[in-house]
Amino acid sequence: MQSLDWLILGIYFAVLIAIGVWASSKRKKGGALFLAEHSLRWHHIGFSMWGTNVGPSMLIASASAGFTTGIVSGNYAWYAFVFIALLAFVFAPRYLGAKVHTLPEFMGLRFGQSTRNILAWYTIVTIIISWLALTLFAGGILIRQVFDIPMWMSALVLLIISAFFTMLGGLKAVAYTNVYQMILLIVVSLILVIVGLDRVGGISALVSKVPADYWVMFKPNTDEAFPWLPIVLGYPVMGVWFWCTDQSMVQPVLAAKDLREGQLGTNLTGWLKILDVTLYILPGIICFALFGDTLKNPDEAYLTMVENLFPVGMVGLVFAVLTACLVSTIGSALNALSTVFTMDIYVKRFHPDASQRRINYVGRIVTVIGSALAIILTVAIDAIKGLNLFNVFQSVLGFIAPPMAAVFLLGIFWKRTTTRAANFALTAGTAFCLLVGILYLWPPEWLTIQWPHFMLLSFELFVILVASMIVISLTDKDTTQYEIPAPVREGYSKLAIALWSALAIVMISLYVYFN
């Protein structure tokens, strides 16, 4: 980092704060913080969902995967369009029809207050651990290296910036700043790819300098890292949980102006996910072609490209992009955390007659408390030595997906599903999945099980939970049916259907071409 780099980084923060303040001024005085007064347009929704999904760890890990295996890890980006479409046409009409603030609130309409309570705490714990602590841990490492400050201070700096927008303007400020930050991310990452391709000698030269299987999306089942069958079966479990039932991801859709904007916004996210391979994975492949003989640690592929290909000034812009990824993810998570706690616990259980001003006040207090807990967890994670904790925790999160996917899918598609079955999956089912996850990650010496691939194991757990819920529902004497408002019918536009059809054709074509 040279003087020009620091200047550019300073300009980025100045523009970011200015946009956040401007967006906050657009919020009606006394209006709600959480759902942007249902004013989000398609571009806010699309960039916010994509921005929440992007983190600095994703940039670094994707380049590392590209360096070692090629584009196959792009399945996690391209396969997602199926489940984003499921959100657009199956889940979103029901969420918007129910006019809910949170997904636990929606499940409360379907299964009752007990399910809402369980899911609210479940969501809060997940947000604090996965979205806040882990994102801060990954980002804090980068900030600590650049600024040479302790981990707690790195986490505090990131949280102050993110909490500023969340507390000042709520989801509207987060969504507006996400548009700016993600456009910056696209521009800088694209420049890196273009400069890298030019250094290699063009696309044909790149193809000739890397192994042929680097350009294949489906690898044989004998491949240890990315066998095709576990991806085809296992990713849907993760996809339904992540794209359709996670509060941090879905909240921009809940805040959509109407169903049309929600479906167009999710469609934009689907198109942006195509760029993941180009912007995140391709730099790793280019790095293999340029520095494969000298680079020993694949995790350094992204920053190696930056260091060797970018001049002074552009390095500062890259760190601005990494910071943008962090602020985007953390801001969305803080807003989701304050929404769930305030609406599902404080208002529903303790103060149902609370004024909007009081609700906003509590939401801000929750943001501060959640930030403090996230810092404590981040420092605790950093203090544990000897494990790649980020990867370990990410793997554990994969075992959270089966219960959520099972409850939401059966809850929507099978009316016979009972409250007892849903609560069983969210409590005993989650405990069982986490136990399997612990045994999978840290197997004791006496356990001689030949584990299947991680993704296949996730699918098997999902099948077990679905079967258990079906049995419990069929034998349950309490068949109380709760009335859920009908899905929104107005708003289906020909444009949204045409764009989704075009996206499906493009995605299928890409899979055919790269196999």
Side-chain angles (χ1 to χ4, degrees), residues 183-367:
I183 291 175
L184 179 65
L185 169 65
I186 292 172
V187 171
V188 174
S189 298
L190 193 58
I191 291 173
L192 182 63
V193 170
I194 293 172
V195 173
L197 283 173
D198 180 68
R199 181 71 65 88
V200 172
I203 295 176
S204 58
L206 176 64
V207 172
S208 65
K209 291 181 180 180
V210 300
D213 66 351
Y214 268 41
W215 308 106
V216 175
M217 290 296 290
F218 283 146
K219 294 198 172 183
N221 274 327
T222 53
D223 186 86
E224 291 185 5
F226 296 99
W228 71 269
L229 185 60
I231 291 176
V232 170
L233 295 178
Y235 184 81
V237 180
M238 298 285 293
V240 169
W241 166 64
F242 187 79
W243 292 105
C244 302
T245 73
D246 185 272
Q247 181 73 27
S248 298
M249 288 303 306
V250 176
Q251 190 148 329
V253 177
L254 300 180
K257 185 177 180 180
D258 51 37
L259 179 61
R260 178 180 184 274
E261 296 294 334
Q263 291 178 334
L264 289 175
T266 51
N267 179 258
L268 174 60
T269 303
W271 289 104
L272 290 171
K273 290 300 291 179
I274 297 178
L275 296 179
D276 284 13
V277 173
T278 302
L279 300 180
Y280 309 150
I281 296 175
L282 192 55
I285 301 176
I286 296 172
C287 185
F288 179 85
L290 292 174
F291 311 107
D293 296 333
T294 57
L295 186 62
K296 303 302 180 185
N297 184 2
D299 290 341
E300 297 175 359
Y302 187 84
L303 293 180
T304 297
M305 291 280 288
V306 171
E307 182 181 359
N308 287 277
L309 301 182
F310 273 175
V312 173
M314 285 298 293
V315 175
L317 205 54
V318 168
F319 278 107
V321 165
L322 294 175
T323 307
C325 296
L326 285 163
V327 172
S328 177
T329 301
I330 296 169
S332 299
L334 285 174
N335 192 68
L337 174 69
S338 62
T339 305
V340 171
F341 184 90
T342 304
M343 302 307 298
D344 289 310
I345 296 175
Y346 176 79
V347 173
K348 180 64 180 179
R349 299 194 62 186
F350 299 108
H351 294 281
D353 57 346
S355 65
Q356 187 60 61
R357 182 178 179 181
R358 182 69 179 176
I359 290 172
N360 288 348
Y361 173 76
V362 172
R364 293 185 174 106
I365 294 297
V366 172
T367 300

Side-chain angles (χ1 to χ4, degrees), residues 93 96 258-260 263 487-493:
L96 295 176
D258 51 37
L259 179 61
R260 178 180 184 274
Q263 291 178 334
V488 173
R489 297 299 180 188
E490 303 81 17
Y492 282 92
S493 69

Side-chain angles (χ1 to χ4, degrees), residues 65-204:
F67 185 92
T68 55
T69 59
I71 67 170
V72 64
S73 61
N75 278 295
Y76 298 113
W78 287 1
Y79 199 180
F81 91 94
V82 175
F83 309 101
I84 303 174
L86 192 67
L87 170 64
F89 292 101
V90 176
F91 287 91
R94 288 166 170 79
Y95 294 156
L96 295 176
K99 297 181 180 179
V100 294
H101 286 80
T102 69
L103 301 187
E105 182 182 357
F106 179 81
M107 282 289 106
L109 295 176
R110 173 64 178 86
F111 293 116
Q113 185 61 35
S114 61
T115 303
R116 181 176 181 177
N117 292 338
I118 294 170
L119 197 54
W121 286 109
Y122 187 109
T123 303
I124 288 169
V125 171
T126 302
I127 290 173
I128 291 175
I129 293 176
S130 63
W131 286 107
L132 291 177
L134 291 178
T135 302
L136 286 170
F137 174 64
I141 292 174
L142 290 170
I143 301 299
R144 180 171 60 185
Q145 290 173 346
V146 176
F147 294 95
D148 193 24
I149 57 177
M151 174 61 78
W152 70 267
M153 195 177 295
S154 303
L156 182 61
V157 168
L158 292 168
L159 276 170
I160 287 175
I161 298 169
S162 304
F164 169 77
F165 301 119
T166 305
M167 296 171 68
L168 184 67
L171 183 60
K172 179 171 284 189
V174 172
Y176 278 53
T177 52
N178 276 349
V179 174
Y180 156 67
Q181 296 185 108
M182 293 306 103
I183 291 175
L184 179 65
L185 169 65
I186 292 172
V187 171
V188 174
S189 298
L190 193 58
I191 291 173
L192 182 63
V193 170
I194 293 172
V195 173
L197 283 173
D198 180 68
R199 181 71 65 88
V200 172
I203 295 176
S204 58

